Amino acid sequence: SQQGEEDPQALSIQEGENATMNCSYKTSINNLQWYRQNSGRGLVHLILIRSNEREKHSGRLRVTLDTSKKSSSLLITASRAADTASYFCATDEGGSYIPTFGRGTSLIVHP
Amino acid sequence: EAGVVQSPRYKIIEKKQPVAFWCNPISGHNTLYWYRQNLGQGPELLIRYENEEAVDDSQLPKDRFSAERLKGVDSTLKIQPAELGDSAVYLCASSLESGRARETQYFGPGTRLLVL
C-alpha cells in the first residue's frame, strides 16, 4: 500500500521558474523524506523532515510539513534542466520507521 | 566512498526461468533493503535486513521469491520461477541502521528485469 501521494503527477516548467510538488499522507508519521530519481537510475535522498519540524532548506530546495493537514510540499527554486526527474515523498507509517513511497511527480524543466 | 552496488543492471529472461540479483551495500551499513519498483510507481519494500537477520519480509511473495544476506554484508534476491508480472526495477538500499534512530537510505542504481 502507498502512504504518500504526490501531486501533481506531472509538471512541466521553463528553466528559471519555481517548481512546487505536494505530498499528502494518511496516518501519523515520525518523519517524511523527499527523493529524486533520474531516468533509469536509483533514488537520491534530498531532505528528511521530522514530524516536529515545519520547514527545512537545502540549497534551492525548501520543504514544508503540515501535520495537521497531513501534507508536505517540496519547492525547487530557480529550476534547471538538470532538475528534470521524478520526485517521491516517503513517509514512515507511525512507528515502523520504514519509508513508504508515493507514485511520484514527474518534473520536466525545459531549457 | 563507493555507493550501493547492484548487478546485473539489466536482465531479460523468459517466464518460468530463475533469476538472481546481487547487492553490495555501503561499507559499514547494517541495514539492507530490497525494493521493487513497477513502471510509474514508487518503490515498494520487499524485505529489510538488520545485519544478517530478515526483520521485515511481509511484502515478499515467499512462494517464488527468496533472499539471503550471508555474513551481514552483501545480499542476493532470487525469483524462481519468474512470471510476466515480475518485470520491474529491483532496487537495493542500505543505511547505517533503521529503528528509532532514523537513517537516510542510500539506493543502488537498480536491476531492470524484463520477463518475456
Side-chain angles (χ1 to χ4, degrees):
Chain A
S1 62
Q2 296 190 306
Q3 158 82 313
E5 291 296 335
E6 294 86 348
D7 172 65
Q9 289 188 352
L11 183 59
S12 180
I13 60 174
Q14 293 296 126
E15 203 167 35
E17 295 179 341
N18 295 340
T20 299
M21 288 157 270
N22 303 296
C23 171
S24 60
Y25 55 93
K26 301 185 179 79
T27 64
S28 62
I29 61 171
N30 298 298
N31 58 64
L32 183 147
Q33 301 185 71
W34 285 92
Y35 287 81
R36 180 184 68 220
Q37 185 175 38
N38 295 94
S39 177
R41 304 184 68 175
L43 284 88
V44 174
H45 183 264
L46 297 176
I47 286 185
L48 180 151
I49 186 166
R50 303 192 189 282
S51 59
N52 61 352
E53 297 175 314
R54 291 298 168 257
E55 187 172 313
K56 286 190 82 168
H57 296 256
S58 177
R60 294 183 296 112
L61 306 180
R62 173 177 169 252
V63 169
T64 62
L65 178 64
D66 187 336
T67 53
S68 66
K69 295 181 179 178
K70 292 187 171 59
S71 68
S72 173
S73 67
L74 169 66
L75 168 67
I76 304 174
T77 59
S79 64
R80 305 167 181 167
D83 295 328
T84 294
S86 291
Y87 292 82
F88 295 89
C89 70
T91 59
D92 57 343
E93 297 180 29
S96 73
Y97 289 88
I98 301 300
T100 303
F101 289 82
R103 289 187 173 85
T105 291
S106 177
L107 172 66
I108 297 176
V109 181
H110 299 279
Chain B
E1 176 184 281
V4 176
V5 179
Q6 289 188 248
S7 69
R9 291 294 308 276
Y10 305 92
K11 190 72 176 178
I12 301 175
I13 61 172
E14 294 186 344
K15 63 181 181 182
K16 300 184 181 179
Q17 294 299 306
V19 64
F21 314 123
W22 177 80
C23 173
N24 192 1
I26 292 174
S27 178
H29 281 195
N30 298 325
T31 306
L32 184 147
Y33 312 77
W34 281 104
Y35 289 87
R36 177 171 59 191
Q37 185 176 20
N38 293 309
L39 189 64
Q41 304 287 320
E44 293 183 307
L45 181 70
L46 291 174
I47 190 169
R48 173 172 67 99
Y49 281 93
E50 295 285 351
N51 298 303
E52 65 273 9
E53 182 183 0
V55 295
D56 189 344
D57 63 354
S58 58
Q59 300 300 314
L60 189 72
K62 298 182 181 63
D63 57 336
R64 297 182 299 107
F65 286 66
S66 65
E68 61 182 10
R69 190 184 184 197
L70 300 176
K71 301 180 180 178
V73 182
D74 56 352
S75 176
T76 302
L77 177 68
K78 298 178 181 177
I79 308 175
Q80 181 171 12
E83 297 179 352
L84 296 177
D86 296 330
S87 295
V89 176
Y90 290 83
L91 295 165
C92 178
S94 69
S95 63
L96 279 172
E97 61 180 294
S98 64
R100 305 204 74 82
R102 187 66 180 91
E103 294 285 345
T104 297
Q105 293 185 38
Y106 295 86
F107 283 81
T111 296
R112 188 175 297 272
L113 173 68
L114 178 60
V115 182
L116 301 176

